[in-house]
Amino acid sequence: MRKLSLPVRLALLVAGSTLPLIIFVSVVIYRGYEKDREDAATRVLETARSLRIVLDAEMQRITGSLHIVSLTSSLRSGDFERFRRIADGFLAQYPPGGAMIIADRNGRQLFSTTTTDVSALPPRNNMDVVRKVFDTGKPVFSNVFVGSGINRQILTVEIPVTIDNHVVYDISFMLPTAMFQSMIEKQRPNADWAVSIFDAEGTNFARVPNPQETVGKKASPTLLAEMFKAQEATFQTISLEGVPLITAVARSSMSGWMVASGIPTSSLVLPLLHNLAITIAIGILLMLVGVAFALRMASAIARGETLQALLVEELNHRVKNTLAVLQAIASQTFRSASKSERETFDGRLGALARAHDLLSQEKWAGAGVHDVVNRVLEPYSVLNTPRITISGPKLPLTPPRAVMMSMILHEIATNAAKYGALSSDGGKITIDWKQLPESSPPKLQMTWVESGGPRVTAPTRKGFGSRLIERGARDQLGGSATADFLPTGVVYTIECALA
């Protein structure tokens, strides 16, 4: 997988730091929106309930006044001419448009405030309401219907006139719609809200907004489908104007009429979108500023890395030249030395060069133990054979310790190739290491175990290689190196400080 460039990595870091903040703030804003929706649902229900209470109180007052009218002597005696003054006084309490009618059990109109010639009036055309008044002897609240003789939609409150426990007349008060229209306009919280009063069948008889276009019509299909399911409820609807609403309904147990109030969902969604847009815009702006700063920092870091790379290359070049000069001097100096001595020196010099190459690849930041071991044993490794087994965790070594560990392992491997396991075809080497758990500062312990080689005998004296191993481990690695010359093979134990 291709490694991402430094500018891209820094830009992703800025984006990865900014995006969670934007998401968090957006979630907080959305949670606030949900809380606002809950509050709005509570407000519309409280508004519908409040208007229903006002409506019930007004209907209670009307039915009480009509009951008093039903007890007047002029009405009970059938003196309708004298009763007209009482009826006109009753209507004067209400806005224009109201009327009072007296009818018998058959719906025949015996009296009307709209005319003195009752003989020309047709029978009542909502006989189901008239029959209910005579059958129950209780007030009845009608649904919207077309009145006889006036040919327009009306709404009535019907009161029985009882003499000797028998219903003899039905007083019908045609309610002025202006009364209900004024009622909902006073209760309407603000101009965004839709408020309606419906009869028991879901027909509007007072509404804001657009009363001229909506009064007398059925509720919108979405509202009509929900409004009869409970006495009080809150749900989402689409108004007759096509506006999505959070709607609440409250049914009157007295009249059976229903009050509905609704607030447009846009009044909640628009602030949500506004706040989200501001949050995202500010977040993107901050992200762009961060990315620009990151790119600028990346440019400065890249220049530093370029300079560092040039210095490392220059160092490598100089070290290689120094090693080449050193090798040439050694060749001249050791001209009279034996071939074995020259090979030994060249091998140590080669180990130093390989350690230098490894550190150069890592830009002199250090090297891993596994890499050091592999680099030293690479000349002795035979592919697809289990002669050399290496295992251990990933542990870092500082540059000085990596060089010394490379030199020590080279000396041990050289001895194994000359006298030990690597000098015979059946010989094997196992190298493993671990970090000592209880050491402070932390230490690495490496074990080199040889087997399958020639029989081992302990040397009678220590050569330069043995002293290099011991002193290098003590002075440069901050640890120790011990060798056990077992008959089955040499075992080296090396300890190295990691910090």
Side-chain angles (χ1 to χ4, degrees), residues 355-374:
H356 174 268
D357 288 340
L358 177 60
L359 291 171
S360 296
Q361 291 177 3
E362 302 297 329
K363 301 187 184 301
W364 287 86
V369 177
H370 194 276
D371 296 327
V372 172
V373 174
N374 274 340

Side-chain angles (χ1 to χ4, degrees), residues 270-282:
L270 290 179
L272 167 68
L273 297 178
H274 179 262
N275 292 335
L276 285 177
I278 291 177
T279 299
I280 293 172
I282 293 176

Side-chain angles (χ1 to χ4, degrees), residues 316-378:
N316 291 339
H317 179 69
R318 292 178 181 273
V319 169
K320 287 180 179 179
N321 286 345
T322 302
L323 290 175
V325 171
L326 183 59
Q327 190 170 23
I329 293 173
S331 297
Q332 295 295 325
T333 303
F334 297 150
R335 187 183 300 273
S336 60
S338 65
K339 180 181 179 181
S340 176
E341 290 173 337
R342 287 198 301 270
E343 289 177 350
T344 299
F345 182 82
D346 289 341
R348 290 167 180 164
L349 199 60
L352 186 61
R354 285 191 293 272
H356 174 268
D357 288 340
L358 177 60
L359 291 171
S360 296
Q361 291 177 3
E362 302 297 329
K363 301 187 184 301
W364 287 86
V369 177
H370 194 276
D371 296 327
V372 172
V373 174
N374 274 340
R375 186 62 61 97
V376 171
L377 294 180
E378 186 176 4

